[in-house]
Amino acid sequence: MRHSSTLSVGLDVHTESIAVAYAREERDAEVIFLGTIGTRQCDIDTLVRTLTSKATHVGFVYEAGPCGSWLYRYLTKQPLICWVVAPSLVPKQAGDRVTTDRRDATQLARLMRSGELTPVDVPAVEDEAIRDLSRAREDAIRDRQAATSRLKACLLRQEIRYEGRATWGPAHLRWLAEVVCPTPAQPMGFQAYVRAVSEHQERLQRLEAERREQVPAWRLPPVVQALQAMRGVQFTVAVTRLAALGDLTRVDTPRPLMSSRGLTPTAYSSGERRRQGTIPTAGHTFARRALIEGAWAYRYPAKVSRHLH
């Protein structure tokens, strides 16, 4: 068999298995499916030795997913070329409704050989840790909102209404402690809803305190402080933004960052007609929402506090 100089290897990564296919650099060469291997390091090492014996240069590619970036970091330390691509950016034929591990791995190898894939930026371990902490805070906020909605629905079903102004303040909490339900069976469910809101609020406070302790030991605290000088950007927005974007020096213009975070408007053009639509809402959801919420502050007059000044 003729020794090829470059191999493009497509990986379909799962929790317990990895489907492997490779394509030689020749355009007319057939894509070969090797089969399925395990996810242990010894399985990866055996695969690397097998492929490096077939070609001088070997490049791997797989889709980003719930398994994380451990495979990317392990292969790049060897060192080997490894790409991580977004599933939404992988070209697919219209009408193709068949999805198997073999087809996905073969398609990735073929597309990498033809140069039709664009890799995404993989964050460093420290950046991903801050991102997970910010994501845990967002999950705590959503859980608290859901628990709050259930508590309000419970009170509404019993025609119990709060006559005060601000909710979830000291006065509102005292009022909740004095609520009397119409029947003996209802207080158990009502108190369970109240405890759920309190537990989620305490969890949120713990995560916020932990994040404030971890950020000064991060590699980007000066950038976090600098971003807070902008209107609408406070600590939460700055940390969420940097944890999602990573190193900003990897791009020369803002356009790639805007496109990767789904902030560029969609466009439809045909002949002389051109119409722009809404943003595509692609990329990191938390970072995009933090940026949009920060931009809302520009609707109001600027108030420069002593700390910001």
Side-chain angles (χ1 to χ4, degrees):
M1 180 181 295
R2 185 164 56 90
H3 193 276
S4 179
S5 61
T6 304
L7 286 183
S8 299
V9 184
L11 306 175
D12 191 34
V13 182
H14 298 283
T15 305
E16 301 294 339
S17 63
I18 302 176
V20 184
Y22 70 89
R24 301 184 182 276
E25 61 180 341
E26 296 80 8
R27 294 286 180 174
D28 56 347
E30 182 183 0
V31 181
I32 300 176
F33 179 69
L34 280 182
T36 303
I37 64 172
T39 56
R40 299 175 300 176
Q41 292 186 2
C42 59
D43 299 327
I44 305 299
D45 294 337
T46 302
L47 175 65
V48 170
R49 288 194 298 267
T50 302
L51 294 175
T52 51
S53 64
K54 299 178 180 295
T56 307
H57 303 284
V58 179
F60 296 85
V61 60
Y62 68 95
E63 293 181 350
C67 296
S69 306
W70 65 270
L71 182 58
Y72 168 85
R73 298 189 179 102
Y74 184 74
L75 291 174
T76 52
K77 284 182 180 179
Q78 302 247 358
L80 294 167
I81 299 174
C82 184
W83 288 1
V84 180
V85 298
S88 59
L89 300 181
V90 176
K92 295 182 179 180
Q93 295 181 355
D96 188 1
R97 296 295 185 268
V98 179
T99 300
T100 62
D101 296 346
R102 177 170 184 166
R103 287 171 63 94
D104 290 344
T106 303
Q107 183 72 359
L108 287 174
R110 183 181 295 107
L111 292 174
M112 186 180 186
R113 179 180 62 181
S114 61
E116 299 182 29
L117 295 177
T118 302
V120 298
D121 179 68
V122 178
V125 177
E126 297 80 6
D127 298 345
E128 192 171 23
I130 299 297
R131 178 187 297 183
D132 291 339
L133 193 56
S134 299
R135 188 171 296 175
R137 176 186 174 274
E138 296 286 341
D139 293 337
I141 292 177
R142 286 204 303 266
D143 294 341
R144 186 188 61 178
Q145 290 174 347
T148 302
S149 299
R150 297 188 189 103
L151 177 58
K152 291 181 178 180
C154 179
L155 293 173
L156 187 60
R157 288 193 299 267
Q158 303 175 32
E159 285 295 328
I160 300 176
R161 301 178 184 273
Y162 178 60
E163 302 297 338
R165 299 179 59 184
T167 58
W168 306 112
H172 187 217
L173 295 178
R174 288 193 299 268
W175 176 82
L176 286 175
E178 299 173 356
V179 169
V180 178
C181 298
T183 62
Q186 290 172 332
M188 295 296 296
F190 172 73
Q191 293 299 329
Y193 288 133
V194 174
R195 285 195 301 268
V197 175
S198 301
E199 291 172 358
H200 292 313
Q201 179 64 25
E202 293 174 358
R203 177 162 65 104
L204 177 61
Q205 293 175 353
R206 289 195 303 268
L207 290 172
E208 289 180 345
E210 183 66 24
R211 187 177 58 174
R212 287 193 175 274
E213 293 179 2
Q214 295 295 330
V215 168
W218 193 23
R219 64 184 182 91
L220 296 174
V223 186
V224 173
Q225 293 293 333
L227 287 177
Q228 293 183 60
M230 301 173 60
R231 288 176 56 188
V233 179
Q234 294 184 351
F235 181 79
T236 298
V237 176
V239 173
T240 305
R241 177 181 180 180
L242 287 178
L245 298 180
D247 188 8
L248 300 178
T249 59
R250 71 179 188 273
V251 296
D252 298 329
T253 61
R255 186 179 296 275
L257 290 179
M258 295 172 61
S259 177
S260 63
R261 296 298 167 248
L263 295 175
T264 55
T266 57
Y268 304 91
S269 61
S270 177
E272 298 180 355
R273 298 180 57 186
R274 186 176 185 272
R275 179 172 61 89
Q276 287 187 330
T278 59
I279 59 176
T281 64
H284 199 282
T285 305
F286 297 151
R288 181 175 59 256
R289 189 179 67 191
L291 291 173
I292 293 175
E293 290 180 356
W296 287 346
Y298 278 80
R299 299 180 299 170
Y300 306 102
K303 294 182 180 179
V304 181
S305 63
R306 180 179 300 178
H307 174 71
L308 290 180
H309 181 75

